[in-house]
Amino acid sequence: MTPFLLVGVLLAQDTTVRSFLKTVDIATRNIETVYTADRRFEAPNWSRDGRYFLINSEGRLYRLTVRGSRLAELPIDLSTPRINNDHGISPDGQTLVISHEPTEDWLTSSVYILSINGGTPKQITNKAPSFWHGWSPDGKTLAFVGRRDGEFDIYVVPADGGEERRITTCPGLDDGPDYSPDGAFIYYNSYCSGKMEIWRMRPDGSQAEQLTHDQFSNWFPHPSPDGHWIVYLAFLQDQAQDHPFGRQVKLRLMDLRDQSVRDLTPEFFGGQGTINVPSWSPDSRRVAFVSYEQHVRH
């Protein structure tokens, strides 16, 4: 879900941010830096063919080759681009989903789809704010987070448009829904227990089950394409129902065969923008993420 504060508010006027797109190998924990820039970019999607990443920066989407050699803006027909960090790629790799704010108010965010090559987006959600997070493996359904009557819950909607349907009802923020590759579960993070933890449920919202029980504030679970793992973002300090930029975080990996958990990365400076959306490599061996450095201007 997009932040409650815009980037310009988050960063003090006397600081600059350097962003690092990295990948981590889940077997060796080896981390490689693919691309770095003195600008704020966020939320890598790994393409279905493994050849490039999608990242957002300053309201626009960019393609970046996996070796980091070429960054190119995706041509999207929006009068004023305000694409936030909730974007992704369809299971067949042919369609792109974005969350876009038509005004400067983040509460106007809605979900749109368009060709993977760009073009004119088609609006899917009729109510705002709405933030995309998951695409069902059969390509027919989008899962998103919406605030309705002051409460953030998870909703589903047909990928070609139609009526939205609410599937969580627990008080407190529910966020980050992403489908398992077999379509049996939706993984998500929820404040239902009074602390932000990782949960899963059936696609109709039934059989909700809390999966993590630890000292961290856990967000954005993403199942691997082979269905064996979920990766998620752990804030080292409790953030209540927020997921701010500029905190100490780490990526953690859960083995879905026995629900054991281990650290995937050391702690780093990140948070909002690090791993909001699905970012697994197609072979389930690596995960893409973003870390940051913040420097004071002299």
Side-chain angles (χ1 to χ4, degrees):
M1 188 179 66
T2 202
F4 296 108
L5 298 175
L6 296 177
V7 172
V9 178
L10 282 166
L11 304 182
Q13 292 184 350
D14 60 348
T15 62
T16 60
V17 166
R18 187 167 183 82
S19 304
F20 300 81
L21 175 59
K22 300 179 178 181
T23 64
V24 56
D25 186 295
I26 67 166
T28 66
R29 298 181 63 195
N30 182 53
I31 296 174
E32 295 184 359
T33 298
V34 176
Y35 177 75
T36 183
D38 288 322
R39 63 191 295 183
R40 175 84 178 270
F41 60 76
E42 303 177 306
N45 300 126
W46 207 312
S47 68
R48 300 293 183 177
D49 60 10
R51 298 173 60 186
Y52 65 89
F53 303 103
L54 284 176
I55 57 176
N56 66 285
S57 181
E58 299 175 351
R60 301 175 186 271
L61 269 184
Y62 297 85
R63 277 186 175 179
L64 177 71
T65 54
V66 164
R67 297 194 179 276
S69 59
R70 188 168 65 92
L71 185 71
E73 183 179 349
L74 197 67
I76 299 178
D77 184 16
L78 293 168
S79 57
T80 306
R82 292 190 181 91
I83 299 168
N84 58 49
N85 56 30
D86 299 322
H87 46 77
I89 301 170
S90 64
D92 65 7
Q94 300 302 304
T95 306
L96 176 65
V97 61
I98 61 173
S99 304
H100 164 64
E101 300 157 17
T103 76
E104 293 183 0
D105 184 354
W106 68 272
L107 291 171
T108 63
S109 177
S110 295
V111 176
Y112 301 74
I113 63 169
L114 65 155
S115 166
I116 193 67
N117 297 312
T120 302
K122 172 188 175 182
Q123 186 171 347
I124 300 300
T125 55
N126 296 317
K127 298 178 181 179
S130 300
F131 306 95
W132 175 85
H133 278 278
W135 207 314
S136 65
D138 63 6
K140 295 180 179 180
T141 306
L142 303 177
F144 68 95
V145 179
R147 191 179 81 164
R148 310 290 184 258
D149 300 320
E151 186 74 20
F152 281 103
D153 281 296
I154 294 171
Y155 292 78
V156 293
V157 66
D160 58 358
E163 292 297 317
E164 65 182 38
R165 181 165 56 88
R166 180 183 178 186
I167 60 172
T168 60
T169 59
C170 187
L173 175 66
D174 300 311
D175 203 349
D178 195 5
Y179 286 86
S180 62
D182 62 2
F185 293 100
I186 292 176
Y187 290 86
Y188 63 109
N189 55 278
S190 176
Y191 205 70
C192 190
S193 66
K195 183 177 172 296
M196 196 60 73
E197 300 284 7
I198 303 302
W199 291 63
R200 71 178 179 185
M201 60 184 165
R202 296 296 182 179
D204 62 0
S206 64
Q207 301 181 39
E209 174 189 9
Q210 183 176 336
L211 299 181
T212 59
H213 305 77
D214 56 39
Q215 71 271 33
F216 305 117
S217 187
N218 299 314
W219 284 79
F220 302 133
H222 301 300
S224 59
D226 63 11
H228 292 166
W229 313 92
I230 59 169
V231 66
Y232 61 91
L233 180 70
F235 288 83
L236 303 193
Q237 302 296 324
D238 186 12
Q239 305 298 318
Q241 298 184 72
D242 200 3
H243 56 299
F245 168 80
R247 298 292 188 271
Q248 289 302 112
V249 298
K250 58 185 174 181
L251 299 186
R252 308 201 81 200
L253 191 71
M254 177 180 288
D255 188 331
L256 292 174
R257 291 159 287 195
D258 59 10
Q259 296 188 14
S260 60
V261 177
R262 61 179 172 89
D263 289 349
L264 184 57
T265 68
E267 65 179 78
F268 60 90
F269 186 74
Q272 173 70 260
T274 287
I275 189 173
N276 297 59
V277 290
S279 59
W280 280 92
S281 63
D283 61 9
S284 298
R285 295 181 178 179
R286 290 176 291 169
V287 173
F289 67 100
V290 180
S291 67
Y292 301 95
E293 290 180 358
Q294 190 163 278
H295 302 282
V296 177
R297 293 194 185 100
H298 296 288

